[in-house]
């Protein structure tokens, strides 16, 4: 736990200051989160609704991002407080986010998760599905969600050139979507890509947000991704 502040400071030396660091605190404890906050870390990411909600209750002053698959029936638990939902992967869930945000009188910031990895198991839209969504008039009528950009998770591999290709492809897709669909909308500005093992590549390829867990908090005791 003592090293958390040090890890954050070290990380900041390697990441340009305009890039936002999301500290991924899944499986980590509230005291560990507080330690990170003391080092000036404000944004935290969780991949499970129950854990996100419990931690928000205990550390409400942090900005909480959801970065894992969201089931439609769980949107209501996070709608009152979530700062950003990075893992929107279907129109259905986006509609429910809109509905629940409306009930809370909020507009919820969202990223569309794009499937860039080779693994079929990972979530997200394919490029043409994302474009179909953006062209959908029902999507365009949603009033309580703000699409702020894209998110992607690269293939889990040691082949860093393969990872770079995936990030580069996502970065190009992001530019294209921004040009074609959000030309006059400054809120569409976030490209969330890169984790502990590949954030440097992601930064080189144009990430504006990186999601870092183990480099900040140490290895997780069990896999929970
Ligand atoms: C767990 C997780 C991370 C952080 O992983 P680390 O390798 O520990 O940095 C980032 N993004 C998502 C979507 C995750 O599930």
């Amino acid at each position: 736990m003592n090293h958390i502040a040090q890890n954050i400071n070290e990380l900041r030396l390697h990441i340009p200051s305009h890039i936002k660091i999301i500290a991924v605190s899944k499986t980590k404890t509230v005291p560990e989160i507080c330690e990170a906050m003391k080092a000036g870390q404000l944004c935290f990411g969780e991949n499970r609704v129950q854990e996100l909600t419990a931690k928000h209750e205990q550390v409400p002053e942090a900005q909480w991002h959801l970065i894992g698959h969201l089931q439609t029936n769980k949107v209501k638990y996070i709608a009152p407080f979530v700062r950003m939902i990075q893992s929107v992967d279907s129109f259905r869930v986006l509609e429910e986010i809109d509905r629940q945000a409306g009930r809370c009188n909020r507009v919820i910031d969202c990223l569309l998760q794009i499937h860039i990895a080779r693994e079929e198991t990972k979530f997200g839209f394919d490029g043409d599905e994302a474009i179909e969504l953006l062209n959908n008039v029902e999507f365009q009528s949603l009033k309580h969600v703000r699409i702020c950009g894209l998110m992607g998770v690269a293939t889990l591999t040691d082949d860093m050139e393969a990872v770079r290709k995936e990030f580069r492809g996502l970065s190009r897709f992001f530019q294209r979507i921004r040009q074609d669909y959000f030309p006059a909308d400054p809120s569409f500005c976030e490209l969330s890509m890169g984790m502990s093992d590949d954030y440097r590549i992601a930064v080189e390829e144009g990430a504006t947000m990186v999601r870092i867990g183990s480099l900040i908090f140490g290895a997780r005791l069990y896999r929970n991704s």
Side-chain angles (χ1 to χ4, degrees), residues 24 26 47 67 151 153 195-196 211-214 220 225:
V24 177
K26 60 192 183 193
N47 63 344
I67 60 170
M151 184 271 244
V153 182
M195 319 190 345
S196 292
R211 309 176 307 271
I212 311 277
S214 34
R220 287 179 293 279
S225 58

Side-chain angles (χ1 to χ4, degrees), residues 12 15-21 189-190 203 206-210:
R12 287 204 185 109
I15 296 179
S17 56
H18 64 275
I19 293 175
K20 194 171 269 176
I21 300 174
C189 63
E190 300 291 2
V203 166
T208 66
M209 275 184 181
V210 291

